[in-house]
Amino acid sequence: MLSLFRRKRTPLSPLERMRPRDVNPIEEILGINMRNALIAKYNPRSAIERARDKVAAKVALEAAGISCTGTVAVIDDHQTLMNFKPLRDMPDAWAIKPARGSQGDGILLAVRREGDVWYKGSGTPLTETDVMHHIQRVVDGGFSGDTASEDAALIEPLIIADPALADLCPEGLPDLRVICLHDEPLMAMLRLPTNESDGKANLHQRAIGAGVSLETGRITRALVKGEVVTHHPDTGINLIGFEVPGWDRVLELASKCGPAIGLGYSGSDIVLDKNDGPLIIEVNAHPGIEIQNICQLGLKAQMHAVGEDFR
């Protein structure tokens, strides 16, 4: 499927090669109002809610045969919580995520275990009591970010980054965002943690946003909070031209996510695991438009190229 996608697609980078002389570049940019109109047009409320719930989304993705991060446990009520024993039921390295959390709020990570104690990447110890208190806060809806009175705690094995990506960053887990219209990838970026971002791949906390060419899987441009960079500020490694491992697989997975959940316009978040390769961690029904600044491409132009008429 992917090879067909690449054959039928008109290359869009650099954008100037495809821009008619009488087209204003600003007309190629997808603005927030048009983005919202696309979401209203292509993303039903039921699909948005499915994407919003990480547990429900993972069920839909796995049912479609899409590779996702693993699952240790889902704790969605207090009875399940009472029967859960972290020392018995959790691995040596793990991630706890609120099913309805956003922007990383409420995520707790342990990178190793020594005896009856886990340790965060910072070296902070976590006892079984600490873990249970955090899970209870998640289940109580403390991180849900909406009006839900309760939530579910999704516990997953900790992802070990592909060594090629891990070498770029001092710490943290890089991830990819791929924007799709139906099953057509439109634009992609790699998000790289920095010391300033506290090891998180969060652009608002000064992680690096790096535009990736759909055709080659190579980084073409990188920014930190709007400032162009060519090297990672902490490791000094050159970013421009870096080729993302498993790029064909990344695009193949991203192209399947929206249809699996019922979204026509989506942003798939993908990690590259050391052992399992590309894995879906989340699908966003309201992907942002900052990716256009990072890639120096317009999403509206990309959508025109795959047949969207914006009516």
Side-chain angles (χ1 to χ4, degrees):
M1 181 185 74
L2 185 60
S3 60
L4 291 175
F5 158 76
R6 286 190 171 178
R7 281 202 296 271
K8 71 181 179 180
R9 186 181 178 85
T10 302
L12 298 178
S13 180
L15 189 58
E16 286 72 19
R17 292 181 181 175
M18 61 159 283
R19 180 187 296 140
R21 293 182 180 276
D22 60 346
V23 173
N24 188 330
I26 196 66
E27 295 178 3
E28 299 168 344
I29 303 300
L30 185 72
I32 191 67
N33 290 338
M34 188 173 291
R35 185 211 67 162
N36 291 343
L38 279 168
I39 290 170
K41 180 179 180 180
Y42 288 126
N43 293 356
R45 172 54 56 184
S46 60
I48 291 173
E49 286 302 310
R50 190 176 301 118
R52 177 79 172 82
D53 186 320
K54 294 180 180 66
V55 175
K58 181 178 279 192
V59 169
L61 292 169
E62 290 179 340
I66 297 170
S67 300
C68 301
T69 50
T71 301
V72 173
V74 176
I75 302 175
D76 55 6
D77 58 43
H78 289 88
Q79 183 61 48
T80 306
L81 178 61
M82 289 176 60
N83 295 328
F84 187 74
K85 305 295 181 186
L87 289 173
R88 180 194 66 196
D89 300 329
M90 295 177 71
D92 292 347
W94 43 258
I96 299 173
K97 303 176 182 179
R100 299 184 65 82
S102 61
Q103 298 184 335
D105 196 20
I107 294 178
L108 182 65
L109 307 176
V111 300
R112 72 182 195 278
R113 175 177 170 178
E114 296 178 8
D116 290 347
V117 178
W118 291 275
Y119 290 88
K120 299 168 66 173
S122 63
T124 302
L126 294 166
T127 66
E128 185 173 44
T129 299
D130 294 330
V131 174
M132 288 294 286
H133 283 167
H134 186 80
I135 295 173
Q136 179 161 358
R137 188 176 176 195
V138 171
V139 173
D140 287 342
F143 305 103
S144 64
D146 57 22
T147 57
S149 59
E150 294 184 347
D151 201 349
L154 175 60
I155 305 175
E156 300 178 335
L158 189 69
I159 296 296
I160 306 300
D162 182 288
L165 285 178
D167 287 346
L168 295 180
C169 308
E171 62 174 326
L173 181 65
D175 67 16
L176 289 147
R177 163 65 62 84
V178 182
I179 304 291
C180 292
L181 184 65
H182 307 300
D183 63 352
E184 292 279 4
L186 301 175
M187 201 170 291
M189 66 176 170
L190 177 64
R191 297 178 291 204
L192 298 165
T194 63
N195 286 334
E196 282 197 89
S197 72
D198 195 29
K200 298 176 182 177
N202 188 320
L203 301 185
H204 300 293
Q205 297 181 14
R206 299 190 65 83
I208 297 169
V212 181
S213 165
L214 291 185
E215 285 72 34
T216 67
R218 294 182 180 274
I219 293 177
T220 59
R221 187 169 184 262
L223 283 82
V224 178
K225 281 295 230 182
E227 179 182 348
V228 175
V229 298
T230 58
H231 294 67
H232 194 289
D234 304 317
T235 63
I237 294 176
N238 180 42
L239 301 175
I240 308 304
F242 173 85
E243 185 173 354
V244 176
W247 186 242
D248 284 357
R249 180 62 174 159
V250 167
L251 292 184
E252 182 182 1
L253 286 178
S255 71
K256 295 177 178 179
C257 287
I261 290 181
L263 299 171
Y265 180 61
S266 63
S268 297
D269 292 344
I270 301 171
V271 292
L272 302 183
D273 182 73
K274 177 181 179 180
N275 298 312
D276 297 324
L279 300 170
I280 301 296
I281 54 172
E282 189 171 351
V283 181
N284 196 308
H286 299 82
I289 55 178
E290 174 63 18
I291 191 172
Q292 298 174 110
N293 293 330
I294 292 168
C295 294
Q296 280 196 315
L297 291 171
L299 276 167
K300 185 178 179 182
Q302 305 292 94
M303 292 179 188
H304 271 308
V306 296
E308 175 59 38
D309 60 9
F310 294 96
R311 287 186 297 184

